[in-house]
Amino acid sequence: MDMTLNDPLLGALLDGRYRVEQRIAVGGMATVYRGTDTRLDRVLALKVMHPGLAGDAGFTERFIREAKAVARLSHPNVVNVFDQGADGTAVFLAMEYVPGRTLRDVLTDRGALSIRAALDVLEPVLAALGAAHRAGLVHRDVKPENVLITDGGMVKVADFGLVRLLSGSAAGPADAAGPADSGSATTPGMIMGTVSYLAPEQIMQTEPTDQRVDVYAAGIVLYELLTGQKPYTAENPMQVIYRHLHESVPAPSLAVPGVPPELDAIVAAATARDPQYRPWDAVELLAALQRVRRALTPEQLDAEPPASTRPTPRFATNEATSVIAAPPPERTSVFAFPPEQQLLTPPRPYNEPTPARAPRRRGNAGGNGSGGGRSRRGLVWGSVLGAVLLVVAVVSYFLSGAVYAAVPSVLGQTQAQAVTTLNGAGLQGRFVQAFSETVPAGQVISTDPGVGARARKSDGVKVTLSRGPERINVPDLTGKPLDQAKQQLTAARLTPGTTSQDYSPSVPQGSVISTSPAAGQPLPVNAPVSLVVSQGPAPVSVPNVVGQPVTQAQSALTGAGFKAALGGDQAYSDTVPAGSVTAQDVTGTAVPGSTVTLTLSKGPQPVVVPNVTGMSESAATNALTAAGFKVKESGLSLLGLLNVSSQSPNAGQSAPRGSTVTIKF
């Protein structure tokens, strides 16, 4: 039965903004849905805490702390958290939606990976964890279920739901969650996490956990990538917990003979039961893993694991069809912390039956005692051999102590402090520098060999000091065409950002006016730079020069930033004198530099003067007015009794419309 049909959140609108559309996964603390941010119209993932936990203030605080913690991280391999909120009983996170599948899905489908593929997955995971560790955050639930692989092959770490803040980190007191774990919200007497990946100190809770619990879990994940199986399996969680506490993780090469010993050593170091023998954090583990990768041949990296490491599907058959049923993923769990004695004593039944003791032999029946003599001689020789071996071991130990020394931790120290620490261990330091986004300038980022590893005293230890964050000055792109500007940004290891447009009187259309941040500003590698591109000069008002003499009109247009041109044709105008402007082709606003074409007036259009001789005064006046002329009378008309005797201009001549015709009586 599909339980999603009864999910009350499907179709809901959380916080009036986030529409819940499809259930993706169900975990130990929350359910993840695909949804849409209706305000920004983008697809995202909604992680909603289970209703049974939402009423628990501790769980709710932990849930909210995830949003705050991940919001502090800016890393391409960490799933972004956009928002956190509550809607009734639904406490939720709005997160980046990562289309693809989990690393657990990959392992279920393929089993063990080639070494190259395993490192290609684990290295970005360690890069993400390293960024968190250097920011003072510990994930505490690293496992394949929390590693997402996009359709394009991008690896991202998700679910910082158990994140804790290291003491002394930049977070304020409100981010800490109680004294039990110096920032952890775990309650004494409870174990929280996924049992297959729990470090011993997480189980025992004898001391505050730090970033090395993530290193331990990453070592378990590496074992699983190389072998296709978990190192510890048992019938119940308590048996797995016991093995974490009392057994070392086996070498991957025991399960897959082709695994190089260097990777066996990496797994052993990362999963050391005593945290002081593990790499200090994910950054140091990543550096060690990359050194191993460089030492391996292409044949070693690309060798396919044996077919025996591939998963065997389990079939559940019914009358209609056969369905492959994969084992369910292991979820984050919260369970009661048992008494310490129960953790130290193996639970029964265990994986293998306890071997029965052989009965004690009291002598050889019917023998003459010679067997006992041989036993005594063997005991003597065994004692002698043991003593010799002991002497050799002691001598070798002291000789190795003269040649080798364990590398002490100098991470975060200045060069002077590191020199003192290394000299105290009988080692010399060879100092190099590298950029770091998280380690302040002048402090140690890493050592080679890593912390706890044996180093030859004569060789020294390579110590990498931080140069601080690498910053790239924004190049001056003013006046560069847009395509050329983008190429220059990419070449400078910056990212072309958003592009907007604006007017510019000096920058040609299509070229860059300015950048944000401005030229010369320092930015991290691959940081975005926004570009403002010119649309050319802004339009301005065109002067109205109609009616003006041509020279005056040309001066007015030139002064406003335009070009003036005379049209080839002229036009008659009853109102504009000849030689003045009667029309212009551009009005309103235009781009400066545009050409305005002027039409000059030829004055009023000539009209043929009608013949009004012999007409009465009123008739003559009406005829001339209708033809467009003004009328002037000369002489006396004797109250209209006389007719027109002559006119000037004469009838049939042409005269400008509006000119005066004189009539005489």
Side-chain angles (χ1 to χ4, degrees):
M1 179 179 178
D2 187 358
M3 296 303 294
T4 60
L5 296 176
N6 300 322
D7 193 327
L9 283 180
L10 292 177
L13 192 66
L14 298 180
D15 202 21
R17 174 175 181 177
Y18 303 108
R19 185 171 60 248
V20 182
E21 296 175 343
Q22 178 185 352
R23 188 158 71 182
I24 299 174
V26 179
M29 294 176 60
T31 301
V32 181
Y33 300 87
R34 192 185 71 174
T36 298
D37 183 344
T38 59
R39 187 176 302 169
L40 299 180
D41 193 23
R42 67 176 173 188
V43 178
L44 42 67
L46 297 169
K47 181 178 179 182
V48 183
M49 182 187 295
H50 293 328
L53 300 177
D56 187 315
F59 278 101
T60 302
E61 181 182 1
R62 184 179 302 110
F63 203 72
I64 296 173
R65 190 168 68 249
E66 174 182 357
K68 293 181 179 179
V70 182
R72 293 169 50 191
L73 294 178
S74 178
H75 195 278
N77 299 114
V78 174
V79 175
N80 292 324
V81 172
F82 302 135
D83 192 11
Q84 179 275 324
D87 190 334
T89 59
V91 180
F92 66 90
L93 301 180
M95 306 183 299
E96 174 187 6
Y97 176 67
V98 182
R101 54 183 183 164
T102 68
L103 180 55
R104 173 62 64 209
D105 296 330
V106 174
L107 290 170
T108 300
D109 291 344
R110 296 184 52 183
L113 307 180
S114 68
I115 294 174
R116 186 186 301 277
L119 299 185
D120 286 346
V121 171
L122 192 61
E123 286 180 2
V125 171
L126 293 176
L129 294 175
H133 292 169
R134 294 300 167 92
L137 304 173
V138 185
H139 189 288
R140 297 205 306 168
D141 200 18
V142 177
K143 58 182 178 181
E145 286 80 359
N146 288 337
V147 177
L148 307 180
I149 303 176
T150 70
D151 295 333
M154 186 73 171
V155 178
K156 288 180 173 284
V157 177
D159 202 351
F160 278 69
L162 301 185
V163 73
R164 70 174 291 271
L165 300 165
L166 293 171
S167 58
S169 68
D175 287 318
D181 200 15
S182 182
S184 167
T186 303
T187 304
M190 302 292 291
I191 300 176
M192 176 169 290
T194 307
V195 292
S196 292
Y197 306 91
L198 286 176
E201 62 268 30
Q202 280 180 288
I203 299 170
M204 296 302 296
Q205 298 182 332
T206 54
E207 57 185 12
T209 56
D210 58 22
Q211 68 280 353
R212 288 172 290 185
V213 301
D214 289 347
V215 171
Y216 184 92
I220 300 289
V221 172
L222 177 57
Y223 179 94
E224 199 168 350
L225 292 172
L226 296 173
T227 66
Q229 59 189 6
K230 299 172 184 176
Y232 300 138
T233 56
E235 296 178 358
N236 59 65
M238 292 309 304
Q239 294 174 351
V240 176
I241 286 175
Y242 178 84
R243 301 188 71 181
H244 277 294
L245 293 175
H246 298 286
E247 298 180 18
S248 296
V249 172
S253 60
L254 296 177
V256 179
V259 174
E262 295 90 342
L263 288 175
D264 283 345
I266 290 285
V267 172
T271 59
R273 281 179 284 166
D274 189 336
Q276 67 176 327
Y277 295 116
R278 297 178 208 149
W280 177 247
D281 60 8
V283 175
E284 189 168 309
L285 179 57
L286 174 60
L289 207 61
Q290 291 173 334
R291 287 195 298 269
V292 169
R293 179 195 277 261
R294 291 192 293 268
L296 297 178
T297 66
E299 292 76 15
Q300 288 175 303
L301 289 170
D302 294 322
E304 287 296 326
S308 60
T309 64
R310 297 173 186 165
T312 302
R314 293 180 294 176
F315 293 87
T317 307
N318 57 33
E319 294 181 357
T321 184
S322 295
V323 181
I324 298 177
E330 188 174 7
R331 296 180 181 175
T332 304
S333 302
V334 182
F335 49 89
F337 188 93
E340 182 175 350
Q341 183 59 35
Q342 292 184 27
L343 292 175
L344 300 179
T345 303
R348 298 295 182 209
Y350 195 51
N351 279 5
E352 296 128 2
T354 303
R357 293 186 178 179
R360 181 179 299 175
R361 298 183 62 181
R362 299 189 180 182
N364 293 334
N368 59 7
S370 61
R374 285 195 297 270
S375 297
R376 286 191 293 273
R377 285 195 300 272
L379 181 60
V380 172
W381 281 109
S383 300
V384 173
L385 180 59
V388 171
L389 292 176
L390 178 61
V391 171
V392 170
V394 172
V395 171
S396 299
Y397 173 80
F398 284 107
L399 288 178
S400 66
V403 177
Y404 295 92
V407 177
S409 176
V410 294
L411 303 179
Q413 295 184 3
T414 64
Q415 181 171 350
Q417 292 170 333
V419 167
T420 301
T421 302
L422 290 171
N423 290 347
L427 295 168
Q428 301 294 321
R430 295 180 291 107
F431 290 88
V432 297
Q433 291 187 327
F435 292 107
S436 173
E437 290 292 325
T438 55
V439 179
Q443 295 184 10
V444 175
I445 301 173
S446 63
T447 60
D448 185 8
V451 177
R454 288 174 19 119
R456 187 183 292 271
K457 293 183 177 180
S458 59
D459 292 343
V461 177
K462 180 181 177 182
V463 182
T464 303
L465 290 171
S466 173
R467 295 176 59 182
E470 183 177 7
R471 293 294 180 261
I472 299 172
N473 291 335
V474 177
D476 187 358
L477 304 176
T478 304
K480 300 288 179 66
L482 179 59
D483 290 343
Q484 182 179 340
K486 289 183 175 180
Q487 292 174 0
Q488 191 168 340
L489 282 175
T490 302
R493 294 187 296 154
L494 296 171
T495 302
T498 58
T499 300
S500 58
Q501 293 185 325
D502 200 358
Y503 296 105
S504 172
S506 57
V507 178
Q509 184 176 359
S511 296
V512 174
I513 301 173
S514 62
T515 59
S516 179
Q521 291 295 314
L523 292 180
V525 176
N526 295 326
V529 177
S530 299
L531 302 171
V532 180
V533 179
S534 174
Q535 292 179 282
V540 297
S541 296
V542 179
N544 183 1
V545 296
V546 173
Q548 296 182 9
V550 62
T551 55
Q552 181 181 343
Q554 289 173 328
S555 297
L557 290 171
T558 303
F562 299 96
K563 299 176 183 178
L566 298 179
D569 296 330
Q570 294 182 335
Y572 293 107
S573 174
D574 295 337
T575 58
V576 178
S580 295
V581 177
T582 187
Q584 62 187 76
D585 66 341
V586 180
T587 59
T589 61
V591 175
S594 302
T595 299
V596 180
T597 301
L598 305 177
T599 301
L600 298 183
S601 172
K602 294 192 294 184
Q605 183 177 4
V607 179
V608 176
V609 178
N611 185 5
V612 295
T613 302
M615 292 183 180
S616 65
E617 176 186 3
S618 60
T621 300
N622 291 337
L624 290 171
T625 302
F629 295 102
K630 298 177 182 177
V631 179
K632 179 181 178 182
E633 297 178 358
S634 176
L636 297 175
S637 65
L638 296 177
L639 300 176
L641 298 177
L642 299 179
N643 294 330
V644 176
S645 61
S646 65
Q647 64 183 66
S648 179
N650 294 326
Q653 292 183 339
S654 294
R657 186 186 302 276
S659 60
T660 301
V661 176
T662 302
I663 57 176
K664 293 182 179 180
F665 298 95

